[in-house]
Amino acid sequence: MSTTGTTDTAHIKLAVLDMAGTTVADGGLVEQAFAAAAGELGVEEGSADHAEKLDYVRATMGESKISVFRHLFGDEARAQQANVAFEKAYGELVDGGRIAPIAGAREAIEELKADGLTVVLSTGFARVTQDAILDALGWRDLVALTLCPADAGGRGRPYPDMVLAAFLRTGAADSVREVAVAGDTAYDMLSGVRAGAGVVAGVLTGAHAAQDLADAGASHVLGSVAELPALLRGSGR
């Protein structure tokens, strides 16, 4: 574990955890589903256009997928078409057993709950995809609340909306400083920082490297979410 700034000693009461790359290992399914979506819109795999768009998808991991497609395909109709194709392809891959928990993730969530924290799972995917992941893992009843961008007014990361929605809807914390955010992307970190979270922890099991997470404002960088309960016990708990 590394600490990139002064350790916050807030009494953390609410943990908002990202899914893919943080608590869920998807083995590159985002890129595979993107290829299917791009193909439906006439972007040929192996072309320069495909490579450029895939680079953007990689760079914006953690962002709401519809926002990514709006950037890539311009008009709303094409963005929505790409998003539907992406969600369908990703869902089929999930249904095919191509997804698993990050090692120690469920145990970490259970530890946080045992320590008295409320835990929320958030994602940049649409609700239908989030539900497919939860069903595939048997996680439907694991946490108090699950959130996708539509549940927070439509804006996903790097906006703070999902973190703030978790804060408001659970009523678990008295201040945003009592919230911990954990994720694997720079956008997760920006979302946590903008929400004013007391702990913004990056994990190295997903899309972005330690320096990317630190540059985006991570207060801590962890090997995985499995280290989060111990971190929070040392942050005023």
Side-chain angles (χ1 to χ4, degrees):
M1 180 190 79
S2 65
T3 301
T4 59
T6 302
T7 300
D8 195 289
T9 57
H11 185 86
I12 301 297
K13 296 178 180 176
L14 173 64
V16 183
L17 313 180
D18 172 52
M19 292 181 68
T22 303
T23 55
V24 179
D26 71 1
L29 299 194
V30 168
E31 294 187 15
Q32 294 178 48
F34 166 74
E40 186 159 317
L41 273 78
V43 180
E44 184 178 348
E45 194 163 359
S47 68
D49 186 29
H50 184 277
E52 182 179 340
K53 285 180 166 58
L54 181 57
D55 283 344
Y56 184 80
V57 169
R58 288 170 175 156
T60 56
M61 285 290 187
E63 185 178 356
S64 168
K65 293 299 175 282
I66 184 61
S67 297
V68 172
F69 290 128
R70 284 178 181 132
H71 175 89
L72 291 177
F73 296 106
D75 68 88
E76 186 67 16
R78 281 170 59 80
Q80 292 290 346
Q81 181 185 353
N83 195 59
V84 168
F86 172 88
E87 300 287 353
K88 179 176 182 290
Y90 195 96
E92 288 173 351
L93 291 164
V94 169
D95 290 343
R98 299 282 303 280
I99 204 159
I102 292 285
R106 183 179 185 119
E107 293 81 358
I109 292 169
E110 298 285 13
E111 281 187 63
L112 293 171
K113 290 164 60 179
D115 286 347
L117 277 73
T118 297
V119 181
V120 173
L121 291 173
S122 65
T123 185
F125 294 134
R127 169 55 62 183
V128 63
T129 304
Q130 184 176 37
D131 284 347
I133 295 169
L134 293 168
D135 286 340
L137 299 178
W139 282 13
R140 277 282 190 169
D141 300 318
L142 181 61
V143 299
L145 180 67
T146 62
L147 293 171
C148 66
D151 299 322
R155 295 198 311 181
R157 308 177 190 107
Y159 298 102
D161 302 27
M162 285 195 290
V163 177
L164 296 176
F167 173 74
L168 292 170
R169 289 176 61 174
T170 64
D174 299 323
S175 161
V176 290
R177 300 304 294 170
E178 297 174 342
V179 178
V181 172
D184 66 298
T185 72
Y187 278 15
D188 291 305
M189 303 300 96
L190 286 170
S191 177
V193 169
R194 290 171 176 178
V199 171
V200 181
V203 298
L204 300 177
T205 49
H208 293 160
Q211 193 61 55
D212 300 317
L213 299 170
D215 289 347
S219 61
H220 304 80
V221 177
L222 310 177
S224 82
V225 73
E227 298 174 19
L228 186 63
L231 169 68
L232 298 185
R233 289 187 199 110
S235 295
R237 288 205 61 76

